[in-house]
């Protein structure tokens, strides 16, 4: 038995998932109606599609999606860099981690989205509160994973490098940094979905831009289809970010034994 | 008499126990020397301080008292004359076998070309020529350990410190690697201090075997191995002289005394 699926098996699976998608769309279009569910509870697929076209031309759907995507991306990148930095510093300095651990734990347990109203009070109806929530929410999974990875390095590997007279910088560049990458990317995958949540909550709390704003607007005007469109667009933003991470990860971590790579 | 390649002069190593109570004396006032090109094995009960001695030799963990010298120079920190190899291969999973072999040279700032040439040559010698651009997880345990040996040899150390390098391998792979090591050490004329639990391995590979006592470790006996052809451990294993040496070591280590 071969462990890798053959070409034809892969093709069969692709055809299978396309068929499933068509079935799903068809069910969405006709099933609620057949069961007597009104359109203001679940609008038809075609109705949602029409609404998205209307929003595209009338409600600047692209603009709002762009704003949300930008906030997600900036928040994600900043949170990622910060998480990485703090993860490395704490990983290399057990004393610092010991001193800071109660605060880190408290902040980790605190629901990050609860900070959204506070940030809106601080920065007003701007992009900053949304980005800040995203930074905060992305920070933890990245930081924890990098910290854990640095801690998990076999001290004998570091000793080996030191026996070759490696400098502190060399040990970082040649051992600690590459060793942290697999958990780092695992953290990024989690962070990608969280970043979208952070930004949306920020937008729900205040402001008049972004998909979160369109969500509240649709809700306020009883336009269920609009809410559906906003949810779909948010999902797409998340998928694009997640996909980009997986793509980069596959390039960077090509050396991982394939069984250790989660699809 | 010329200066010994490696000398331990009255070394003592104490470790602070965590509770601040009595420090543990791992090895106590121990002295021995290795001449240039000599291969010497250290055997003794586990926990008697064999690894501790090698760590002192590598300069990573200096002695509490006493000194270690390489070519008459005191070892106070890691230096280019000594390289070590452990039971764990310590290969970096994100580097190919070649890049792993180049690791030490890279840290020492050698040019890419020189590194590559050295790595190719050593990997061919270690019969890994077909796996140069493979990743460690694609290799068997024995092959990985051969790659680790190539990495150790790549920096061209005057002294090799080997801490049970083959103890995780199955019996047959082990014999093949012993043969590789024996031949390499004979060909290159390197000096090596070799820690092992395997009495036959110690006898087959070395010029001399140092037997250590329980902690605090001291050397209780030095046995010169008078079997020809140190570069061919396979043949040495078959020598009729091997049995008596094993018996002698078993006596010294009190193996089997409690079984009766
Ligand atoms: N870093 C350390 N801290 C405290 N005790 C240690 C340390 N390293 C080794 N020891 C102790 O020193 C003794 C010798 O250890 P080791 O040299 O590893 O023995 P072995 O002969 O099995 O290689 C052991 O009793 C061990 O518990
Ligand atoms: Mg040991």
């Amino acid at each position: 038995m071969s462990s890798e699926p053959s070409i034809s098996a892969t093709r069969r699976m692709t055809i299978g998932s396309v068929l499933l998608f068509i079935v799903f769309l068809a069910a969405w279009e006709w099933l609620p109606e057949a069961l007597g569910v009104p359109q203001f509870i679940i609008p038809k697929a075609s109705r949602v599609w029409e609404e998205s076209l209307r929003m595209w031309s009338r409600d600047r759907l692209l603009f709002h999606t762009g704003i949300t995507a930008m906030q997600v991306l900036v928040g994600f990148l900043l949170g990622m860099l910060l998480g990485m930095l703090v993860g490395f510093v704490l990983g290399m300095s057990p004393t610092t981690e010991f001193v800071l651990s109660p605060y880190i734990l408290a902040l980790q347990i605190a629901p990050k989205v609860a900070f959204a109203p506070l940030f809106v009070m601080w920065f007003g109806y701007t992009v900053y509160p949304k980005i800040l929530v995203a930074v905060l929410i992305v920070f933890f999974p990245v930081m924890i994973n990098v910290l854990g990875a640095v801690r998990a390095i076999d001290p004998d590997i570091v000793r080996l490098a030191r026996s070759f007279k490696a400098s502190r910088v060399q040990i970082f560049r040649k051992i600690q940094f590459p060793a942290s990458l697999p958990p780092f990317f695992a953290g990024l995958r989690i962070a990608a979905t969280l970043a979208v949540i952070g930004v949306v909550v920020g937008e729900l709390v205040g402001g008049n831009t972004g998909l979160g704003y369109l969500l509240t607007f649709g809700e306020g005007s009883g336009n269920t289809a609009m809410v559906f469109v906003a949810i779909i667009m948010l999902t797409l933003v998340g998928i694009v970010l997640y996909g980009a991470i997986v793509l980069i990860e596959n390039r960077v971590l090509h050396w991982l034994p394939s069984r250790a790579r989660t699809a | 008499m010329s200066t010994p390649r490696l000398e331990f002069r009255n070394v003592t190593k104490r470790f602070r126990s965590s509770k601040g109570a009595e420090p543990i004396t791992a090895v106590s006032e121990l002295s021995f020397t290795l001449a240039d090109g000599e291969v010497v094995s250290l055997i003794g009960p586990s926990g008697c301080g064999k690894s501790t001695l090698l760590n002192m030799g590598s300069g990573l963990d200096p002695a509490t008292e006493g000194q270690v010298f390489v070519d008459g120079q005191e070892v106070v920190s890691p230096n280019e004359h000594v390289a070590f190899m452990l039971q764990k291969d310590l290969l970096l999973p994100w580097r190919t076998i070649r890049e792993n072999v180049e690791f030490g040279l890279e840290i020492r700032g050698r040019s890419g070309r020189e590194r590559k040439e050295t790595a190719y040559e050593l990997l061919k010698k270690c019969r890994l020529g077909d796996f140069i651009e493979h990743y460690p997880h694609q290799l068997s345990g024995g092959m990985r350990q051969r790659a680790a040996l190539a990495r150790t040899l790549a920096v061209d150390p005057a002294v090799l410190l080997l801490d049970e390098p083959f103890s995780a391998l199955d019996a047959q792979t082990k014999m093949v690697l012993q043969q590789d090591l024996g031949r390499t050490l004979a060909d290159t004329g390197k000096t090596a201090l070799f820690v092992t639990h395997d009495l036959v391995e110690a006898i087959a590979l070395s010029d001399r075997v140092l037997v250590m006592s329980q902690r605090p470790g001291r050397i209780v006996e030095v046995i010169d191995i008078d079997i020809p052809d140190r570069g061919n451990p396979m043949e040495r294993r078959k020598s009729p002289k091997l049995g008596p040496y094993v018996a002698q070591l078993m006596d010294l280590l009190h193996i089997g005394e409690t079984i009766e």
Side-chain angles (χ1 to χ4, degrees), chain A residues 33-44:
Chain A
E33 194 177 33
L35 296 175
V37 180
Q39 289 253 13
F40 65 84
I41 301 289
I42 302 179
K44 286 179 162 223

Side-chain angles (χ1 to χ4, degrees), chain B residues 13-18 24-27 44-55 61 163-164 195 197 212 215:
Chain B
K13 181 75 182 183
R14 279 188 284 271
F15 290 107
R16 304 238 147 269
S17 52
S18 48
I24 299 168
T25 307
V27 295
S46 83
C48 73
K50 302 180 294 292
S51 300
T52 304
L53 272 176
L54 290 205
N55 289 337
D61 261 323
D163 197 349
E164 304 184 26
V195 169
H197 274 128
M212 287 177 71
R215 206 182 71 208

